[in-house]
Amino acid sequence: MDGKNPVIAVIGAGAVGAYYGGRLAQHGHDVHFLLRSDYKHVARNGWMIQSCHGDFKLPPGTMHVYEKAERMPKADWVIVTLKATANEQLGAMISPLIKENTLLLTMQNGLGNEERLAELFGPQRVLGGLAFVCIHRVEPGVIHHIDHGYVRVGEFIESGNANARAISEMFRKSKVQCDVLESLKHGRWAKLVWNIPFSGLGGALEMATDELLCSREGQELVRAIMMEVIAGARGCGVELSQSVIDQRIKETSTMGSYKSSMQIDREQARPMEVEAILGEPVRQAAIAGVAMPIVRELYRLASVVNLAKCHEGR
Amino acid sequence: MDGKNPVIAVIGAGAVGAYYGGRLAQHGHDVHFLLRSDYKHVARNGWMIQSCHGDFKLPPGTMHVYEKAERMPKADWVIVTLKATANEQLGAMISPLIKENTLLLTMQNGLGNEERLAELFGPQRVLGGLAFVCIHRVEPGVIHHIDHGYVRVGEFIESGNANARAISEMFRKSKVQCDVLESLKHGRWAKLVWNIPFSGLGGALEMATDELLCSREGQELVRAIMMEVIAGARGCGVELSQSVIDQRIKETSTMGSYKSSMQIDREQARPMEVEAILGEPVRQAAIAGVAMPIVRELYRLASVVNLAKCHEGR
């Protein structure tokens, strides 16, 4: 990559992929997006990004869009923003893009995504990114970036963070606040302290954050789940302070009525990321000898919700 | 009551009360209904019952309706069809109707309703009735009785069943199939084998019976919950055969898409009968030394759903 403009591929360009890849393209990077459902619309019209950090357009000439990975160039960076529920497609989607020094950054939710990429393409080239962002696709080609946008990146195999610093710098020069995590695993578990209760309960019970927090019993349930996540994290070698529980609840209480990604997926009859957000943490904690009894039941219930395909699109 | 036409009071006349009280009134009984929201409409227009066992009308002259229990006559029979979520009102509603020989039949869902009446008015006069019926209120004064209708009655204190036979005979002479339970407690737990999984999951997860049963994981969850109910029943002295699990699942699979009362209550932003259907069985089993771990978590989740009043009527 030295001196040359790196080739960046964004795999599964929904709202998150369009935004972060879009910021890179907007700032002169050579970005190639792999899309599915919105391919035709975006190929013709580009993207319109309505962002709290400044609206911008990505006309077709400013980036490249593809329907098939086989047509894409080999990439220096592959940024994965595919829904984790489609992870079985990762091999076929990414293989055509791989050359010797390709680096892979997964910005997907939950646990298990780096492991998946490491199994397929080797662990040394894998990085993980946590996106703290409220964003959604309004219609084909239109993304609404509502709030936040901060990214934290880390390396799957901790080895000096030179690659994490490189992608972090690309983001920072492209209007994306970004820093480097000392420990990716720590960052992933810390994010799960919020995601497991609010996405898990939100999706399984169809409840927004304010509905979960407006009763004493709801707050106690959220706290009990957060305690289990902290215990699970500790089992996996990640120390999180108990004080994050009060912090997360206080922050969330001021957010108004917020629907988690799992709740929105359920409402729109899309599969929820049950394995990445609930199943994999339960399994990793169990291997470390830590039971997460409430989360395990929640995982089971959310799985049954996810599998009720008999009424698709209800 | 010998020879005389008994005075029958129906407390909390929603769909179930209007139907069963209505059948008694239709067949010459002296029935007095206590209503709340539909009082004015029914006082003026009576009821229209669209029943799979034959439609009938109850014009105002054929029965009596009241908005306040204080205006009602003392009753020989008080039939309680109030939602169990309003049980704190039972004392005030029933006290004005009580004379020495008044008998009380609760046809409410779940566990704990007979105990409540026994505490208030003494155990000897308490009976319980299980209604196996698909019925709902279409609009003020209009009840749609869709299917079944069978009733089983039993005495709270087992003492020869003379009172149970008396009310059973009144029902049978009024076009309601009815029999006498050897053990009311056995009947209540047997009904919970269906009600706890399908009402509990249906209400907490907003899922109809077919959605719960269309995946292997959903069937396994329903079975695991039924196993817990059978274990809880055994702890409480009620032996239920494991074979009921296959029977209930088979019957339910042929019912099409059926929404439990808890799911309908949730959809209509009414409180769900969480304590009677989930909480009280968990507590009674726990006192008997039997844990019901999945049902306990389901109870907790359904309670949090029930308490999310910040978005009433959503």
Side-chain angles (χ1 to χ4, degrees):
Chain A
M1 288 182 280
D2 320 280
K4 278 173 50 189
N5 202 10
V7 173
I8 299 170
V10 177
I11 301 302
V16 170
Y19 179 72
Y20 290 106
R23 283 292 183 199
L24 293 169
Q26 184 195 17
H27 290 82
H29 287 283
D30 182 19
V31 188
H32 302 255
F33 295 91
L34 181 67
L35 285 79
R36 183 148 307 174
S37 54
D38 291 348
Y39 168 75
K40 278 184 187 159
H41 183 95
V42 175
R44 192 174 304 132
N45 307 294
W47 265 300
M48 172 68 212
I49 319 272
Q50 301 164 338
S51 169
C52 54
H53 298 163
D55 295 354
F56 63 105
K57 283 186 186 178
L58 289 172
T62 60
M63 42 80 191
H64 309 272
V65 296
Y66 304 84
E67 211 176 2
K68 290 184 195 297
E70 292 74 19
R71 306 217 171 136
M72 297 174 76
K74 304 282 182 198
D76 297 296
W77 282 96
V78 177
I79 299 176
V80 182
T81 52
L82 197 69
K83 283 280 292 288
T85 51
N87 271 0
E88 79 284 356
Q89 300 170 35
L90 282 179
M93 284 175 158
I94 296 174
S95 294
L97 314 176
I98 295 284
K99 55 182 181 179
E100 194 187 338
N101 294 320
T102 300
L103 296 167
L104 308 170
L105 173 70
T106 165
M107 296 182 71
Q108 299 167 289
N109 281 323
L111 295 189
N113 300 302
E114 287 88 9
E115 287 84 344
R116 179 98 192 178
L117 291 175
E119 278 167 30
L120 289 167
F121 305 109
Q124 298 296 339
R125 57 170 98 227
V126 176
L127 294 89
L130 314 184
F132 298 86
V133 63
C134 299
I135 196 162
H136 64 265
R137 170 187 170 283
V138 180
E139 58 186 76
V142 182
I143 305 299
H144 189 192
H145 172 208
I146 300 163
D147 205 357
H148 306 293
Y150 183 41
V151 173
R152 312 195 75 181
V153 296
E155 295 179 357
F156 181 58
I157 303 294
E158 291 167 28
S159 54
N161 273 331
N163 291 328
R165 282 195 299 274
I167 188 81
S168 177
E169 194 165 322
M170 277 197 280
F171 275 132
R172 281 203 306 272
K173 288 182 175 170
S174 304
K175 211 170 177 170
V176 173
Q177 196 191 346
C178 185
D179 67 13
V180 173
L181 286 161
E182 285 304 306
S183 160
L184 177 60
K185 198 166 156 188
H186 188 283
R188 286 270 178 225
W189 277 100
K191 196 175 180 199
L192 288 170
V193 172
W194 191 92
N195 231 351
I196 288 180
F198 289 106
S199 264
L201 295 170
L205 307 180
E206 291 209 81
M207 293 177 82
T209 53
D210 60 332
E211 294 177 305
L212 288 168
L213 293 181
C214 69
S215 68
R216 186 178 52 79
E217 289 81 351
Q219 285 211 16
E220 282 172 4
L221 176 61
V222 168
R223 281 175 192 279
I225 291 175
M226 287 179 169
M227 296 276 281
E228 286 191 2
V229 179
I230 290 173
R234 180 171 301 126
C236 295
V238 169
E239 279 299 322
L240 298 170
S241 161
Q242 298 278 343
S243 65
V244 300
I245 294 178
D246 282 337
Q247 285 168 28
R248 289 296 98 81
I249 289 191
K250 195 175 167 192
E251 287 159 15
T252 310
S253 298
T254 63
M255 274 164 55
S257 186
Y258 183 78
K259 289 181 181 178
S260 69
S261 65
M262 272 177 58
Q263 186 179 4
I264 290 173
D265 284 339
R266 178 171 178 185
E267 282 183 359
Q268 303 195 352
R270 292 189 303 243
M272 303 187 290
E273 294 178 310
V274 168
E275 293 303 330
I277 294 174
L278 301 172
E280 193 60 25
V282 166
R283 283 188 291 271
Q284 292 194 13
I287 289 168
V290 177
M292 298 169 74
I294 309 176
V295 179
R296 198 186 55 225
E297 286 308 325
L298 184 58
Y299 167 45
R300 186 173 193 174
L301 296 176
S303 300
V304 168
V305 171
N306 231 17
L307 290 161
K309 299 290 179 194
C310 43
H311 273 191
E312 250 176 15
R314 77 205 176 97
Chain B
M1 290 181 277
D2 322 281
K4 279 172 51 189
N5 202 10
V7 173
I8 299 170
V10 178
I11 301 302
V16 170
Y19 179 72
Y20 290 107
R23 283 292 183 199
L24 293 169
Q26 184 195 18
H27 291 81
H29 287 283
D30 183 19
V31 188
H32 302 255
F33 295 91
L34 181 66
L35 283 80
R36 182 149 308 175
S37 54
D38 291 349
Y39 168 75
K40 279 184 186 158
H41 183 97
V42 175
R44 192 175 303 133
N45 307 292
W47 264 300
M48 172 68 213
I49 318 272
Q50 300 163 339
S51 169
C52 55
H53 299 162
D55 295 353
F56 62 106
K57 282 186 185 176
L58 289 172
T62 59
M63 43 79 189
H64 310 271
V65 296
Y66 304 83
E67 211 176 1
K68 290 185 194 296
E70 292 74 19
R71 306 218 170 136
M72 298 174 75
K74 303 283 182 199
D76 297 297
W77 282 97
V78 176
I79 299 176
V80 182
T81 53
L82 197 69
K83 283 279 292 290
T85 49
N87 272 359
E88 79 284 356
Q89 301 171 34
L90 281 179
M93 284 175 159
I94 295 175
S95 294
L97 314 176
I98 295 285
K99 55 182 183 179
E100 195 186 340
N101 294 320
T102 300
L103 296 168
L104 308 170
L105 173 71
T106 165
M107 297 179 72
Q108 299 167 288
N109 280 323
L111 295 189
N113 301 302
E114 289 89 8
E115 287 84 344
R116 178 98 191 176
L117 292 175
E119 278 168 29
L120 290 167
F121 306 109
Q124 296 296 339
R125 56 171 100 228
V126 176
L127 295 89
L130 314 184
F132 298 86
V133 64
C134 298
I135 196 161
H136 64 263
R137 169 187 170 283
V138 180
E139 58 185 79
V142 182
I143 305 298
H144 190 191
H145 172 208
I146 300 162
D147 206 357
H148 307 292
Y150 182 41
V151 173
R152 312 195 75 182
V153 295
E155 296 178 357
F156 181 58
I157 304 294
E158 290 169 29
S159 54
N161 272 331
N163 292 328
R165 281 195 300 274
I167 189 80
S168 177
E169 195 164 321
M170 278 197 279
F171 275 132
R172 282 203 305 274
K173 288 181 175 170
S174 305
K175 212 171 176 169
V176 173
Q177 194 190 347
C178 186
D179 67 14
V180 173
L181 286 161
E182 284 305 305
S183 160
L184 177 60
K185 197 167 156 187
H186 188 284
R188 286 270 177 224
W189 277 100
K191 197 176 179 199
L192 288 170
V193 172
W194 191 92
N195 231 352
I196 288 180
F198 288 107
S199 264
L201 295 170
L205 308 180
E206 291 210 80
M207 294 178 80
T209 53
D210 60 333
E211 294 177 305
L212 288 168
L213 293 179
C214 70
S215 68
R216 186 178 52 78
E217 288 82 352
Q219 285 211 15
E220 281 173 4
L221 176 61
V222 167
R223 281 175 192 278
I225 290 175
M226 288 180 168
M227 297 277 281
E228 286 191 2
V229 180
I230 290 173
R234 181 173 300 125
C236 296
V238 169
E239 279 299 322
L240 298 170
S241 161
Q242 297 277 345
S243 66
V244 300
I245 294 178
D246 282 336
Q247 286 168 30
R248 289 297 97 81
I249 289 190
K250 196 174 166 191
E251 287 160 15
T252 310
S253 299
T254 64
M255 274 163 54
S257 187
Y258 183 79
K259 289 181 181 178
S260 69
S261 64
M262 272 178 57
Q263 186 179 5
I264 290 173
D265 283 339
R266 179 172 178 184
E267 284 184 358
Q268 304 195 351
R270 292 189 304 241
M272 306 188 289
E273 295 178 310
V274 167
E275 294 303 329
I277 294 174
L278 300 172
E280 194 59 26
V282 166
R283 283 188 290 271
Q284 292 195 13
I287 289 168
V290 178
M292 298 169 74
I294 309 176
V295 179
R296 198 186 54 224
E297 286 308 325
L298 185 57
Y299 166 46
R300 185 172 194 175
L301 297 177
S303 300
V304 169
V305 171
N306 231 18
L307 290 162
K309 299 290 180 195
C310 43
H311 274 191
E312 249 176 15
R314 76 203 175 98

